[in-house]
Amino acid sequence: MNDYRQLILTEFIDRYENSSYYKGKRDGPRKISIVLHKRFPEYGQSFFYEITEELENISFQLKEEGLVTFSKKSIPGNREIILNQEESSIKKIYQELKRISIKEKIMNYLHQLDEYHVEGFVKDFIDEMKKKIMYDQSLSPYLKSYDLEDLDSVIKILNGMYYQDEEISFRKFSEKILNDTKKLIKYKKKNITYCT
């Protein structure tokens, strides 16, 4: 059974975080809406009465909670729900989804990058990743976006490479740096020597 409420709220937040307004490139928000029959093709179909009723109930719950409004032309079977982009509403949705905002993830990530005391090409790599974040560019393929565990592993690998002054097997290097003989293999295809 689909959790339609979660699907709706997740789509709203995904689109909100992708908006120019959220990224600070626009002064005011643009309308973010979901037309239910476009998002859920069963909605409004007589064969899918239960789904239609469930989506109607969810829409009215969200409206009563102040998280959405309805468009003027919105009617049962052709319902358009509009995200309320006031800060308090957005905050409630994040809490319900148990989701950390992209802005918070970015701040945590930048803080983590600042915590590393490294030199040489590892420092160059970190500086380059900071620039990418500041210019809203993808960190791929070097890093998983705002994944702190991945970041820590990549920095350990680069730092290990920087200080490795004698030949060592791939498996031994993996164990030495990541405490696991097989963990390094998943980073082998990454271009982690980007700044060398």
Side-chain angles (χ1 to χ4, degrees):
M1 185 88 177
N2 282 324
D3 185 345
Y4 291 112
R5 181 181 171 106
Q6 185 162 9
L7 288 171
I8 288 167
L9 294 179
T10 298
E11 181 168 331
F12 272 140
I13 289 298
D14 287 346
R15 289 172 60 193
Y16 174 73
E17 288 185 342
N18 276 322
S19 70
S20 299
Y21 171 67
Y22 182 81
K23 293 175 181 176
K25 297 175 183 175
R26 186 179 168 82
D27 289 337
R30 281 196 173 151
K31 178 174 94 168
I32 298 173
S33 71
I34 295 174
V35 178
L36 291 181
H37 74 271
K38 289 182 179 175
R39 176 63 179 84
F40 307 103
E42 299 88 0
Y43 170 80
Q45 302 291 327
S46 56
F47 292 115
F48 299 101
Y49 171 76
E50 289 174 358
I51 292 173
T52 300
E53 187 177 32
E54 186 178 353
L55 284 165
E56 279 291 299
N57 289 339
I58 289 166
S59 299
F60 277 95
Q61 284 171 4
L62 293 173
K63 187 178 181 204
E64 284 172 23
E65 292 168 28
L67 303 179
V68 303
T69 57
F70 294 163
S71 72
K72 289 179 182 175
K73 296 178 182 178
S74 187
I75 57 170
N78 191 20
R79 178 86 55 213
E80 180 183 15
I81 55 177
I82 303 165
L83 176 64
N84 177 355
Q85 295 183 52
E86 290 175 9
E87 194 177 322
S88 60
S89 298
I90 297 294
K91 189 176 177 183
K92 283 181 195 172
I93 296 173
Y94 275 117
Q95 287 172 341
E96 181 172 333
L97 295 175
K98 294 181 175 69
R99 179 166 160 168
I100 298 170
S101 74
I102 291 286
K103 285 181 181 175
E104 196 175 334
K105 285 181 184 177
I106 290 170
M107 292 307 294
N108 291 341
Y109 208 76
L110 286 169
H111 177 73
Q112 183 72 18
L113 284 168
D114 285 336
E115 289 294 304
Y116 294 111
H117 302 290
V118 292
E119 46 191 69
F121 69 80
V122 188
K123 185 180 183 315
D124 294 341
F125 178 83
I126 287 175
D127 290 343
E128 194 61 33
M129 293 305 108
K130 283 183 188 176
K131 279 185 206 166
K132 284 183 169 291
I133 292 168
M134 295 304 180
Y135 291 106
D136 197 27
Q137 296 173 346
S138 173
L139 301 178
S140 180
Y142 318 110
L143 297 165
K144 287 183 193 171
S145 284
Y146 312 121
D147 181 324
L148 294 174
E149 190 178 327
D150 177 72
L151 171 63
D152 202 49
S153 293
V154 169
I155 298 303
K156 282 178 181 173
I157 293 164
L158 290 174
N159 218 30
M161 290 166 62
Y162 184 75
Y163 287 107
Q164 189 64 39
D165 54 3
E166 59 186 52
E167 245 182 78
I168 187 172
S169 76
F170 194 80
R171 288 172 64 94
K172 281 186 179 176
F173 182 78
S174 182
E175 186 171 24
K176 177 182 172 184
I177 300 302
L178 302 172
N179 299 319
D180 184 327
T181 58
K182 296 178 182 175
K183 193 172 180 182
L184 186 60
I185 197 77
K186 75 176 189 174
Y187 292 95
K188 192 174 182 183
K189 291 181 183 175
K190 283 190 180 198
N191 187 3
I192 59 172
T193 54
Y194 174 70
C195 293
T196 59

